[in-house]
């Protein structure tokens, strides 16, 4: 009976030590010292509250979308060889330009985009766009190079002159 009471006493003693260590927090707090104990490079970045959001009191207003407004009328080009105006709606003139382009010998239409009002053409070794844009006076037909600038090479000038003759612009 003596061995049983010794085992009980020893078990109670071990249980008491474990309880004391567990409730004191020394053992468990060793790993949870907080961010202040970390090296400066490892600490999280703290941003002051007034720097979280930018000050927008003097900000410039955002302008309306360009697609929400009606495009401005196309100004007449500096040279008449680049384009001309035809009376009628843009879609009507776009169809007439397509028929006129189909009748030009040596011209290849690579693609057509009615929504954009343009034909991608290859003519006499040059590639450029024939563009139809709505204006107050009707529709403006012009040639545009791949950079978006007015096409002024010989092939584009010759084609615009031929279209002007066929469409009566």
């Amino acid at each position: 009976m003596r061995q049983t009471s010794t085992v009980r006493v020893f078990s109670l003693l071990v249980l008491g030590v474990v309880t004391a260590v567990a409730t004191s927090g020394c053992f468990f707090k060793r790993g949870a010292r907080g961010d202040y104990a970390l090296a400066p490079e490892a600490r999280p970045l703290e941003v002051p509250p007034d720097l979280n959001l930018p000050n927008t009191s003097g900000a410039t207003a955002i302008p309306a979308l360009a697609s929400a407004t009606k495009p401005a009328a196309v100004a007449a080009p500096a040279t008449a060889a680049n384009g001309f105006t035809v009376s009628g709606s843009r879609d009507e003139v776009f169809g007439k330009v397509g028929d006129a382009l189909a009748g030009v010998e040596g011209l290849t239409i690579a693609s057509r985009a009615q929504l954009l009002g343009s034909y991608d053409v290859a003519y006499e070794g040059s590639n450029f766009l024939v563009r139809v844009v709505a204006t107050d006076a009707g529709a403006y037909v012009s040639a545009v190079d791949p950079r978006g600038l007015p096409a002024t090479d010989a092939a584009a000038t010759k084609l615009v002159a031929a279209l002007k003759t066929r469409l009566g612009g």
Side-chain angles (χ1 to χ4, degrees):
M1 192 154 189
R2 193 143 160 76
Q3 284 184 336
T4 309
S5 69
T6 307
V7 171
R8 275 189 201 172
V9 170
F10 182 72
S11 298
L12 287 175
L13 183 63
V14 168
L15 183 63
V17 169
V18 169
T19 304
V21 169
T23 58
S24 70
C26 300
F27 177 76
F28 295 109
K29 288 200 180 236
R30 196 173 6 165
R33 288 185 244 169
D35 293 336
Y36 65 89
L38 297 174
E41 300 85 26
R43 293 180 194 157
L45 180 64
E46 292 183 22
V47 180
D50 58 335
L51 294 180
N52 282 342
L53 297 174
N55 182 7
T56 58
S57 62
T60 306
I62 298 174
L65 290 175
S67 61
T69 61
K70 183 179 177 187
V74 175
T79 61
N82 184 37
F84 57 94
T85 303
V86 179
S87 62
S89 70
R90 184 183 75 88
D91 291 334
E92 180 183 305
V93 173
F94 183 81
K96 290 179 183 179
V97 169
D99 294 339
L101 288 173
V104 175
E105 191 173 325
L107 182 128
T108 305
I109 299 174
S111 67
R112 60 186 81 216
Q114 186 168 359
L115 267 168
L116 300 174
S118 65
Y119 292 92
D120 186 1
V121 298
Y123 184 61
E124 293 185 354
S126 295
N127 295 325
F128 52 91
L129 295 176
V130 174
R131 187 172 63 178
V132 181
V133 180
T135 64
D136 293 334
Y140 183 72
V141 180
S142 64
V144 180
D145 70 3
R147 299 171 297 165
L149 300 173
T152 56
D153 63 337
T157 305
K158 183 177 176 182
L159 181 62
V160 169
L163 288 174
K164 186 174 182 178
T165 302
R166 290 182 185 213
L167 297 175

